[in-house]
Amino acid sequence: MNTILIIDDEEKIRSLLSRIISLEGFEVFEASNLKSGLKRLEVSDIDIVICDVKLPDGNGVEFSKIIKEKFPVTEVILLTAFGNIPDGVMAIKNGAFDYITKGDDNTKILPLVYKATEKVALNKRVIQLEKQLDNKQSFNNIIGKSEVLLSSVDSAKKVAITDATVLLTGETGTGKEVFAQAIHHASKRSKKNFIAVNCSAFGKDLLENELFGHKAGAFTGAVKDSKGIFEEANLGTVFLDEIGEMPLDLQAKLLRVLESGEFLKVGDSKPIKTDVRIIAATNRDLEKEIENGNFREDLYYRINIFKINLPSLRERTSDIELIADFFLKTFSRKIGKNISAVSSAYLKALKNHRWKGNIRELRNVIERSVILTDSSILDIESLPPDIAENNSDNESNKLMSAFSMASAEKIQIQKVLNHTKGNKSEAARLLEIGIATLYRKIEEYKIS
């Protein structure tokens, strides 16, 4: 039920309007002055305010501005005994929905109220969609509670509020674009454009045009100027996925953007200024690419200001159940099936799989299972054969020989963890391995 507040110091007019509007099914509140009207707005969710212009404690035209600043979704209809053009213009500038003269109330007020409720409903829907979008793009969209994932999320949150260039590393399918969107969303650039481009999806010429745009006449078919991503994303964020695939001569142009904030369009000699934050991602070892002559060392040091490694699914098998449940609900709703859970055998098979494609591969497997299953629980029969057959304990759970390398490694890790009293960062330092590798070994050997 829509709620309406009538503010008028003339009781007869207030009561008449209240009766007319309440008969249409609206919930109506009354106030005799601006002060009591504002109090009602602060305690009730009011959709529409019908307010007299001249009141004992103020002017309705000025009050409409206060209402729109404090309650932007609320619409204001102003009533006046003596209408004049300057007041009407100012009322609309202040955000009022309409401005009408008393005496026309009976014929105009109800149609106006209905039109105003439509606008209120639309505004509420927009706000709801914005909240949903915000949630999808925020760190809340990153699923998992494992220590290795939370460590990466914590680093991303710390760098998000800065303007530092970020390099996201990790295997394919680990969610690098999700992290990039979350970093942008948590930054001061969040209201500006976030534009992602996959550097491996274009040839050299197409990628150059995509990033930097072109001048009219730069090549056959270039009949007018075209903006590139760096121009479109000004004051926002550019996400360069698979940056290790970028051709060397384009790497030089990117380096200029990072160093001076300038670039040249294809076919142009006049530099264009841009202010963008760059988040880059790769599944390659860029240091090896530098050794092989495939990546510029100076560019590497410019993009490697703040590196975040995203763990593979193998390094956080404890998160598989949460992620699988999320995809199960997503695809069940999308396909229109009522599937409530997965069987223990199904979950065990998921945890035993190596997941070379990481979250992307898991997503595809769950979608396939939802399509195939006819029951309310996903069972092992709906899994691809290579995953279903891997339902026995993996090698790390089998009895290890006392002389095996794996057994010696497990014992050494346990010994160092005991020495550091569970401090994994210190243990990784003493073992001379990366923290992500340590977490993977702990998971692999089931070290408590």
Side-chain angles (χ1 to χ4, degrees), residues 140-158:
N140 295 331
N141 196 40
I142 298 172
I143 303 168
K145 296 180 179 178
S146 60
E147 287 187 53
V148 65
L149 176 71
L150 293 180
S151 175
S152 297
V153 170
D154 184 58
S155 295
K157 285 180 177 178
K158 287 176 179 176

Side-chain angles (χ1 to χ4, degrees), residues 123-135:
N123 289 338
K124 286 183 176 180
R125 178 61 177 155
V126 169
I127 290 171
Q128 182 185 15
L129 290 172
E130 285 177 346
K131 285 181 179 178
Q132 290 176 359
L133 184 62
D134 285 349
N135 190 51

Side-chain angles (χ1 to χ4, degrees), residues 171-174 312-314 353-362:
E171 297 178 9
T172 183
T174 49
S312 67
L313 209 49
R314 296 185 301 281
H353 187 57
R354 297 299 292 164
W355 299 115
K356 292 181 180 178
N358 293 291
I359 298 171
R360 190 177 295 130
E361 182 186 0
L362 175 58

